[in-house]
Amino acid sequence: MPPRIFSTTKDLSLYIHVPFCAKKCPYCDFYSCPPHDINSYIKALSQEVDGLFTEAPHLEHTPLRSVFIGGGTPSLFGQESFLLLAEIVHRFTHTADMEWTLEVNPEHFSSSMADLWCSQGVTRISLGVQTLQAKELRHIGRNHTPDDIERIFANASIKQFHSISCDIIYGLPGQTEKGLIDTIEKLTKHSSIGHISAYELTRYPTTPFGKDPSIPFPTEEELEKLTEICHDTIEQAQFYPYEISNFARTVSDESCHNKAYWERRPYLGLGPGAHSYDGSYRLSRPADLSGYTKETAKGYFSNLSVHQLSREEHREEYLFLSLRTRRGILKQEFLHQFKEPLFTGIRKEVISDLCAAGFLREEPQRVYPTRAGMLRADGIALRLL
Ligand code: SF4
């Protein structure tokens, strides 16, 4: 007997994973494959929603606060495929001010596609800039150039979106401090950019970058310096960090969707490799397009892993996720969720040590990390478990 999922959900965030990329970037370990079978994928997505609405009919009328279409490379969809994808989003009920983010690779941006995305309800673009240094872009196998980015911001169509976010990466092979500063300064001078996500490059062992020891990655010391420079330069441009890797110009530029993950609000993931959370269960599908297109016709629970979180797992997640954010741990929320005060036993001592060391700050309502604390969020969470 499958569990009753999303039974207490009042509002929801939706993630759709588009698993296609024109080619694989050598550092990336996300699930993606060549764009060969787009129609079967979209048909399977629609069947997944059919199955979901059979198991949890109320979700059809549960308003979506946010939608995020990510991948993979969703922007490689042409007009016809994008409209079919949008139809799936339109099967759900939306709040009046729903945030709808689309991940866009710069080489796919055009006035006509921007108009189409906007006409369907997209409010926010997350642009995969990565770096504005031509040599670095070539090295990491990206298909765009720095000129493509300038072309986008010279195009009036970009102004129709409520918010623009740019992804950048630091810790790239051969990246210099000067190059990183130049990238950030050039991006932040565009007033239409309200959000920056800055990620440290991870060397996943299964990727070409992870397997090749001859690639000149920064040393630990250089990486620490690049991290400091990255945060300093973004903050000097009047963006503030509200999460370890995410910076906003104003509160309305913060990503409502990502905050749902960090604040552990219910979200539904559709597509191969997508995850869902309903406040009690974590659900996940294998990252396998061919299995996905076969299984979804058999019902929502077919080939879906379901795990009910224990109280300890809830608490662990709460601490790990909260300590990544400037919001931090809310004392009342912690008490309400875990039926124990935050300041109990050894935790009281640990928090006071971490405050004295400059990693945490305490206010009457909450305990939150400083920048140094955010950058060590996992280690701090482990000490508070
Ligand atoms: S385009 Fe993005 S998702 Fe696709 S391989 Fe490159 S980094 Fe990964």
Side-chain angles (χ1 to χ4, degrees), residues 20-32 71-73 103 105 130 141-142:
F20 303 110
C21 287
K23 69 180 173 80
K24 195 79 193 164
C25 303
Y27 58 91
C28 175
D29 86 328
F30 286 176
Y31 173 60
S32 66
T73 314
E103 277 186 351
N105 279 17
Q130 318 313 357
R142 301 297 299 215

Side-chain angles (χ1 to χ4, degrees), residues 147-383:
D147 287 346
D148 288 329
I149 308 298
E150 290 308 319
R151 183 179 54 81
I152 290 171
F153 289 102
N155 185 328
S157 302
I158 193 80
K159 302 225 159 38
Q160 58 195 320
F161 298 100
H162 169 75
S163 184
I164 307 293
S165 176
C166 290
D167 282 1
I168 60 169
I169 306 181
Y170 61 91
L172 296 170
Q175 188 172 42
T176 61
E177 295 172 9
K178 193 162 162 265
L180 179 60
I181 292 170
D182 179 72
T183 293
I184 296 168
E185 286 183 345
K186 280 187 178 144
L187 284 179
T188 52
K189 84 173 185 337
H190 291 292
S191 57
S192 46
I193 297 176
H195 190 276
I196 304 269
S197 298
Y199 300 107
E200 179 186 320
L201 183 81
T202 305
R203 289 178 72 179
Y204 296 104
T206 51
T207 62
F209 268 20
K211 287 179 187 157
D212 186 347
S214 71
I215 297 176
F217 286 100
T219 61
E220 278 293 308
E221 210 173 282
E222 287 165 341
L223 192 56
E224 215 167 285
K225 191 81 197 295
L226 286 169
T227 308
E228 285 296 318
I229 286 173
C230 180
H231 281 245
D232 284 346
T233 315
I234 299 175
E235 288 182 45
Q236 276 155 16
Q238 308 301 315
F239 285 66
Y240 60 90
Y242 66 105
E243 195 262 353
I244 196 166
S245 307
N246 287 279
F247 302 78
R249 213 188 271 276
T250 67
V251 175
S252 69
D253 290 307
E254 293 183 11
S255 163
C256 166
H257 189 84
N258 286 342
K259 286 201 294 188
Y261 296 149
W262 305 323
E263 293 171 16
R264 302 174 73 245
R265 287 189 254 117
Y267 58 85
L268 172 69
L270 300 176
H275 296 251
S276 306
Y277 173 64
D278 76 344
S280 181
Y281 292 96
R282 290 224 169 258
L283 317 162
S284 61
R285 288 206 184 275
D288 165 25
L289 178 61
S290 129
Y292 178 72
T293 53
K294 288 188 196 101
E295 293 295 327
T296 50
K298 299 181 191 162
Y300 182 72
F301 285 100
S302 180
N303 212 18
L304 182 78
S305 303
V306 180
H307 173 68
Q308 185 167 25
L309 294 178
S310 66
R311 185 163 166 268
E312 287 68 36
E313 286 170 322
H314 274 294
R315 193 176 50 197
E316 196 173 306
E317 281 193 0
Y318 180 92
L319 288 170
F320 272 90
L321 292 169
S322 303
L323 288 165
R324 297 175 63 94
T325 67
R326 186 48 64 89
R327 175 181 186 259
I329 303 169
L330 307 189
K331 294 177 187 174
Q332 273 307 320
E333 188 175 73
F334 190 90
L335 178 64
H336 175 73
Q337 291 195 15
F338 307 111
K339 311 290 176 249
E340 64 182 49
L342 177 63
F343 286 83
T344 36
I346 186 80
R347 216 162 35 222
K348 189 173 170 190
E349 247 172 72
V350 173
I351 291 175
S352 121
D353 286 353
L354 290 165
C355 286
F359 294 123
L360 294 179
R361 286 207 185 106
E362 190 194 347
E363 286 180 355
Q365 315 295 335
R366 64 182 183 135
V367 172
Y368 67 97
T370 59
R371 183 204 287 183
M374 268 196 213
L375 292 170
R376 292 161 184 80
D378 288 356
I380 293 177
L382 278 175
R383 291 187 62 189

